[in-house]
Amino acid sequence: MQFTLTTPDYGVLCLYFIALFMTGFYLNRYNRAAGRDIFLGGRSLRWWQIGFSMFSANAGPSMLVGFASIGFTQGVVGSNFEWLAWAFLFLLSMFFLPHYISTKVSTMPQFLLVRFGKPSYNFLVIYSLISILVVWLGSALYAGGLIISQVFDISLLHAVLTIAVIASSFTAVGGLKAVVRTGIFQSLIIILSSIILGWLALKKIGGIQAFTKGAPADYWKLFRPASDPQYSWIAILLGYPVVGIYYWCTDQTIVQKVLAAKDVREGQYGAIFISFLKIIMPFIFIFPGIMCFVLYRDIAQPDNAYITLVTQVMPHGLLGLCIAALIAALIDTVSSGLNSFSTVFTLDVLSRVREMDDRAKRRTGQWSTLLAAVLAVGVAWLFSLSGKGFFELSQGLVSILAPPLSVVFVGGISWKRVNKTAAEVVLYGGGLVCLLVGACHVLNFPSKAFWPHFLLLSFYLFLAMLIVLIGVTLCTKPPTENVLPSIVESWKERAPGSRRVWVLWALLALVMGAIYIYFS
């Protein structure tokens, strides 16, 4: 969709880029001790830094544009992807995080190395690098490139290259601290512009009552009937937990933020903070899609619902702010992925090949950041040849990658009896099965009607691999060395979390319960 930016819009964009580079480069000198650790920021992050950074990494272009598309076509049912996330952030902060920190690991592959040995570690190193390149970097660059190329009337390749250069520049220099600082800045831009967009659109509709009456009744139901072909309640309740555990509890790009916490308590507060931010995310990301349906259903398409609403509602100047928010979401998602790739590649690949001091690790991390940017541009280019929408690609990729890691990590922290043989069978065998099944599913082979919904497919794969994990574990000898404590044993030693932490989680549960009752 073509539209014209005016001088005020370009002025806002220039101010945004000046503030971004000031945040990413200039402020780096004020914390040199943490800045020398480009991977975990010296383990010095506070709860609000963690929460905002996780928010901005999660609020990528596929959320801004893709969730508006779901709102346009389906209504609030897409909010389940945000409003159910708190349960898995709870698992991350209260169960997974204490285990990760107690083993003093910097990456998810290192956790598997301690728990299951080198073969499992090697698998996750490769798996993590591929998932970061494909899910975080390639799809984000492709999605953002489509938008930026439309906004500035440039080619897709030029748009992707520009984004990669901007994101890799301050990420390579400042590492995780720069990513976190810019993430806080980007989060504020995204939230502010989305609130203004929603308010102006609601005003144009004529108020809340006109808004609710302007959309079909089923647009306001969080749970659809079991017969619904898109988002039935069965698919959501069975399939989302598989993806939720993988994404929020085992994905390097997300977990790296809480691993960089000053201590366990700060990490837990950070997870609580992002969980409360999740409450507002459907209102600023999905509801604009519904507003576009109410106002412009005759001229808009699902994939351009967000852009249509922005161009029709936002005055010039504020239009530039919304474009800045799109760029902010894109750059922060890419920079988070680049930093995670460099962390895994440096600490889990090259550090195992040759000895490196801190200076050498930092230099290697910077070069690997640039390598990741180049590779991600190639992946984005391949996506452009696929003929599929970017949101469809990202959904399918996450559902394909989730089951084996979800099974192994859940088993690894909850059951000491699980041994390395069981883990290796699920990781290598299950990983191969997931890739083959996923490829057939994406290609609709043997037919589109043959395959269930991608969330149900994730659940079926998870269940099959869980059965394999339990069966192999019971048929083989239990581990005899380097056995980490289970969750139950950790709780006997020290229950993680203060009373305040538990009270905040209980309050959040009450709020989410009220939301689900209202939209039932």
Side-chain angles (χ1 to χ4, degrees):
M1 181 176 184
Q2 298 292 334
F3 55 91
T4 302
L5 297 178
T6 63
T7 300
D9 299 319
Y10 283 112
V12 170
L13 285 173
C14 287
L15 290 175
Y16 160 72
F17 280 112
I18 291 171
L20 173 66
F21 284 111
M22 285 284 289
T23 306
F25 286 107
Y26 181 74
L27 295 181
N28 188 54
R29 67 179 187 169
Y30 287 104
N31 194 349
R32 293 191 180 278
R36 284 191 290 269
D37 178 7
I38 68 172
F39 306 112
L40 292 178
R43 294 188 188 268
S44 61
L45 299 187
R46 302 299 299 271
W47 62 269
W48 54 275
Q49 294 173 311
I50 296 167
F52 274 129
S53 182
M54 292 175 75
F55 172 89
S56 58
N58 181 226
S62 61
M63 177 172 290
L64 281 172
V65 179
F67 273 7
S69 174
I70 292 179
F72 186 87
T73 58
Q74 304 290 331
V76 299
V77 67
S79 302
N80 285 295
F81 290 93
E82 296 303 302
W83 285 338
L84 291 177
W86 77 271
F88 303 96
L89 284 160
F90 170 76
L91 292 178
L92 170 66
S93 70
M94 309 308 289
F95 297 98
F96 285 84
L97 177 60
H99 274 256
Y100 293 153
I101 290 183
S102 67
T103 57
K104 295 182 172 58
V105 298
S106 300
T107 65
M108 295 298 92
Q110 288 177 8
F111 176 79
L112 286 192
L113 176 64
V114 176
R115 180 64 176 87
F116 294 119
K118 198 166 184 178
S120 295
Y121 163 82
N122 290 336
F123 173 88
L124 190 52
V125 167
I126 303 301
Y127 210 66
S128 294
L129 292 176
I130 292 174
S131 65
I132 292 169
L133 274 177
V134 174
V135 175
W136 284 96
L137 295 174
S139 61
L141 282 175
Y142 174 50
L146 289 174
I147 299 166
I148 301 303
S149 63
Q150 291 179 356
V151 171
F152 297 103
D153 194 21
I154 59 177
S155 70
L156 176 62
L157 181 59
H158 287 160
V160 168
L161 286 172
T162 302
I163 297 161
V165 169
I166 293 172
S168 60
S169 59
F170 62 78
T171 305
V173 173
L176 183 64
K177 288 294 283 187
V179 171
V180 170
R181 278 194 304 272
T182 56
I184 296 169
F185 170 66
Q186 316 272 45
S187 297
L188 296 175
I189 293 291
I190 294 168
I191 292 172
L192 175 62
S193 67
S194 298
I195 290 175
I196 293 173
L197 175 64
W199 180 75
L200 290 176
L202 188 63
K203 186 177 179 181
K204 194 164 189 175
I205 291 171
I208 295 177
Q209 188 173 7
F211 176 43
T212 56
K213 290 182 178 180
D218 64 347
Y219 267 48
W220 305 109
K221 300 294 183 181
L222 278 170
F223 288 131
R224 298 286 185 86
S227 59
D228 188 275
Q230 293 296 324
Y231 295 102
S232 72
W233 68 269
I234 296 177
I236 291 171
L237 292 185
L238 293 182
Y240 181 78
V242 181
V243 179
I245 291 173
Y246 163 73
Y247 185 85
W248 294 110
C249 302
T250 74
D251 185 87
Q252 177 67 27
T253 304
I254 292 295
V255 177
Q256 186 169 347
K257 307 299 190 299
V258 293
L259 288 179
K262 187 177 180 180
D263 52 41
V264 174
R265 190 69 49 80
E266 291 292 333
Q268 290 171 334
Y269 283 140
I272 293 172
F273 183 41
I274 178 62
S275 296
F276 275 99
L277 288 177
K278 284 285 180 183
I279 295 174
I280 69 170
M281 291 173 82
F283 295 105
I284 62 178
F285 294 143
I286 292 178
F287 278 50
I290 306 176
M291 292 174 178
C292 183
F293 176 84
V294 173
L295 288 170
Y296 307 112
R297 71 186 76 178
D298 295 330
I299 65 172
Q301 297 294 323
D303 282 344
N304 66 18
Y306 182 83
I307 295 294
T308 299
L309 190 67
V310 166
T311 55
Q312 296 293 326
V313 170
M314 296 291 266
H316 288 291
L318 289 179
L319 176 59
L321 182 65
C322 271
I323 301 304
L326 275 170
I327 298 173
L330 172 61
I331 289 177
D332 202 76
T333 299
V334 174
S335 62
S336 292
L338 289 173
N339 185 249
S340 295
F341 183 94
S342 71
T343 300
V344 174
F345 188 76
T346 302
L347 300 185
D348 291 315
V349 178
L350 294 184
S351 291
R352 304 290 170 175
V353 177
R354 60 188 177 91
E355 292 289 333
M356 290 190 292
D357 57 19
D358 290 341
R359 183 177 179 182
K361 287 180 180 179
R362 177 181 174 83
R363 186 168 59 251
T364 303
Q366 292 172 332
W367 281 108
S368 60
T369 297
L370 300 179
L371 170 65
V374 173
L375 294 174
V377 169
V379 174
W381 177 72
L382 290 175
F383 282 169
S384 70
L385 303 177
S386 67
K388 292 182 176 293
F390 59 82
F391 196 67
E392 179 184 358
L393 281 168
S394 61
Q395 284 183 324
L397 290 169
V398 172
S399 66
I400 289 167
L401 294 170
L405 289 182
S406 296
V407 168
V408 169
F409 271 82
V410 169
I413 73 164
S414 61
W415 191 18
K416 289 178 64 176
R417 180 68 170 76
V418 178
N419 55 32
K420 64 178 185 179
T421 302
E424 290 166 16
V425 169
V426 171
L427 289 175
Y428 285 94
L432 178 61
V433 169
C434 282
L435 290 176
L436 292 175
V437 170
C440 293
H441 182 259
V442 169
L443 296 173
N444 297 321
F445 178 82
S447 67
K448 186 175 182 179
F450 177 82
W451 296 103
H453 189 271
F454 74 93
L455 286 174
L456 285 175
L457 182 59
S458 269
F459 173 73
Y460 297 149
L461 291 170
F462 175 88
L463 186 62
M465 292 177 198
L466 181 62
I467 293 172
V468 170
L469 183 82
I470 295 172
V472 175
T473 296
L474 296 177
C475 293
T476 53
K477 295 181 180 180
T480 57
E481 57 183 15
N482 297 329
V483 181
L484 297 178
S486 66
I487 287 292
V488 175
E489 291 173 335
S490 296
W491 274 53
K492 287 180 179 179
E493 292 179 6
R494 59 187 182 104
S498 64
R499 177 175 294 184
R500 180 181 296 178
V501 170
W502 286 102
V503 168
L504 288 173
W505 280 120
L507 176 62
L508 180 63
L510 290 175
V511 172
M512 297 312 303
I515 288 174
Y516 269 81
I517 290 173
Y518 181 81
F519 285 103
S520 62

